[in-house]
Amino acid sequence: MCGIVGYIGPDQAADVLLAGLRRLAYRGYDSAGITVVGDEALRTVKRAGKLDRLEAAVRETPLVGTIGIGHTRWATHGAPTETNAHPHSDCTGRISIVHNGIIENYQALKAELEAQGHVFTSDTDTEVLAHLIEREFKGDLAEAVRNALRLVEGSYAMAVVSQDAPGVLVVARQHSPLIIGHGPDAYYVASDVPALLHRTRRVTYLNDGDIARLTRDGVSLWGKDGSPRAPQIVTITWDVSAAEKGGYRHFMAKEMHEQPSALVDTLRGRLPASDQAAILSELEMTREELQKVGQVILIGCGTAYHACLVGEFALEELAGVPARAAMASELRYRDALITRDTLAVVISQSGETADTLAAMNRVKEMGARVLAITNVVGSSVDRAADKAIHTNAGPEIAVASTKAYTTQLSMLFMLALAFGEARGHLVPERARELRAAMRNLPEQAAQALAQEDVVNACASRFRGAHGALFLGRGANYPTALEGALKLKEVSYIHAQGYAAGEMKHGPIALVTPECPTVAVAVPGRVYDKMLSNMQEVRARGGPIIAVGVEGDHDLESYADAVIRVPRTEEVFSPLLAVLPLQLLAYACAVDRGLDVDQPRNLAKSVTVE
Ligand code: AGP
């Protein structure tokens, strides 16, 4: 999730662009850059690291001009270096472009362009756009952009300027947000409202397929079918703080509701529409190598450890490969049975968790091959792994991890599918069914997240609670643990996640009317056992909130309240069942008036032991 800005007006563009980028820093900032169109040439300054490094560089290299574009990067392809920072240019240096999104077919396009003599300087997918526009440019920049984008598959919000198109700034949008700001005597471009609110509240939200040309005289806009249309202008009423949260009260709420789009972005290009085998190019493991893996050990902390537990179940279920989850803080001090045929899957949103890094280094020393699943390109975990799969969830600001967790699960499901198909554990027809079910998950997640009224009503049951129990079995035992962790860390209510079958071995002593129980009771091989466990709790006066699927009306007789999620494959159900539990934890924290995004005693990334 990068941030782009653009400006055309009477003021010096550099100042306007930097002010806009400062207001987009929450979208990620591993590098940044701006291009200003001068009288003689385009001038570009870019730096790795945070924005203040770019601002210092611009102070040393004054950029004169009143048209420009800028970018703050959250790397998805290519390490966060100065070379990979945006803006990117073509061979001649007369075209400069910034982009937020993922060009899925960039490798094929890059090979074609290189064969035609184009010389690339970065590892990014974005640079392909600059060279495509260079090749298509015949004097009309908007036309060149339109022709170039016809060849592109993927997502983009982009802005481009050219020395050969003076006084013109062209933008385009597909799947990544982009808005145009209409000032009294200037026009602005931004990924998000906060970047331009200090200049104007009158904006046009571009639609997928839109291309627009901005000049000092106005905005020309063409829709997906190429037909011109008048820009629809709306007035923003939010303040800046609300705008950074997308209008939500907290980052946690924004990030919970970003999960459907984060899943789309994470699965993009990895789960093709046609019935091909699951593509995990980052894995770079041949069929034979996948077959030779003797065991998989999944390593993480906190929520990432819970993802490891989901992965353990999925790998055994779909791939028939021995798998076990390990808490990094424990594994780092154990003589774990790591052999050369061990694949270590290291999961970390931040990629900087000290315990996870230590455990990772230990298993590497013992000969394991390491695959990372991380949300931060260029993080320590990313760089230390043999291979890495990036969850394209965008920056996760709230301490409580939500969209990182569900996108981690989606990648673990893809990994299990890849293993299952390579090892012949999944027959083609079953693999096709599972891939079809995966394609539905983003939309189903959106449906599951639309339960706030029901969830808020359930949250009132936790007022005055002496504690809470979260019960789950099989695929959803980790869901119970994750639900309990979410409630603990944002609402400070003591909550225990437990394997429901273990209740009779002690925890059932905790059951009282003041101790609500949340039971994950979605269809699966242990559904009936879950109903029995719920009866055990109810018989002792414990209030029960059940998470079940739409259409399952038996649950009403086993629970005091039921929150419903769409039906999916049992092995995928943890991804949907966790969503109401996230909402519940959030509702309880808000109900208690707590600092939801920054809970006491906690840090977003635990970089110390
Ligand atoms: C989850 O909500 C917590 N913030 C915490 O458990 C977190 O998952 C854990 O610290 C691991 O962080 P990582 O994924 O960045 O390694």
Side-chain angles (χ1 to χ4, degrees), residues 301-304 348-351 353 356 399-401 485-486 489 606:
C301 295
T303 289
S348 176
Q349 186 286 130
S350 64
T353 300
T356 304
V399 164
S401 186
L485 176 60
K486 287 280 113 22
E489 66 175 330
V606 184

Side-chain angles (χ1 to χ4, degrees), residues 1-72:
M1 182 199 289
C2 306
I4 73 172
V5 293
Y7 172 75
I8 182 166
D11 298 338
Q12 284 306 308
D15 299 335
V16 180
L17 298 171
L18 290 172
L21 290 178
R22 270 198 297 277
R23 290 166 170 82
L24 290 179
Y26 68 90
R27 295 176 67 89
Y29 42 71
D30 54 46
S31 55
I34 63 173
T35 289
V36 172
V37 182
D39 293 338
E40 303 305 323
L42 302 184
R43 295 294 305 278
T44 295
V45 176
K46 49 189 188 179
R47 288 290 185 275
K50 294 193 176 178
L51 206 51
D52 52 9
R53 296 197 63 226
L54 174 66
E55 289 172 331
V58 171
R59 279 196 294 274
E60 291 163 13
T61 326
L63 303 180
V64 178
T66 59
I67 301 179
I69 55 178
H71 185 275
T72 175

Side-chain angles (χ1 to χ4, degrees), residues 142-143 146 206-207 209-213 219-232:
E143 188 59 26
R146 181 177 293 107
L206 293 185
N207 301 323
D210 281 357
I211 294 177
R213 179 176 61 213
V219 176
S220 304
L221 180 56
W222 297 270
K224 183 163 25 180
D225 59 2
S227 56
R229 67 179 174 88
Q232 185 188 355

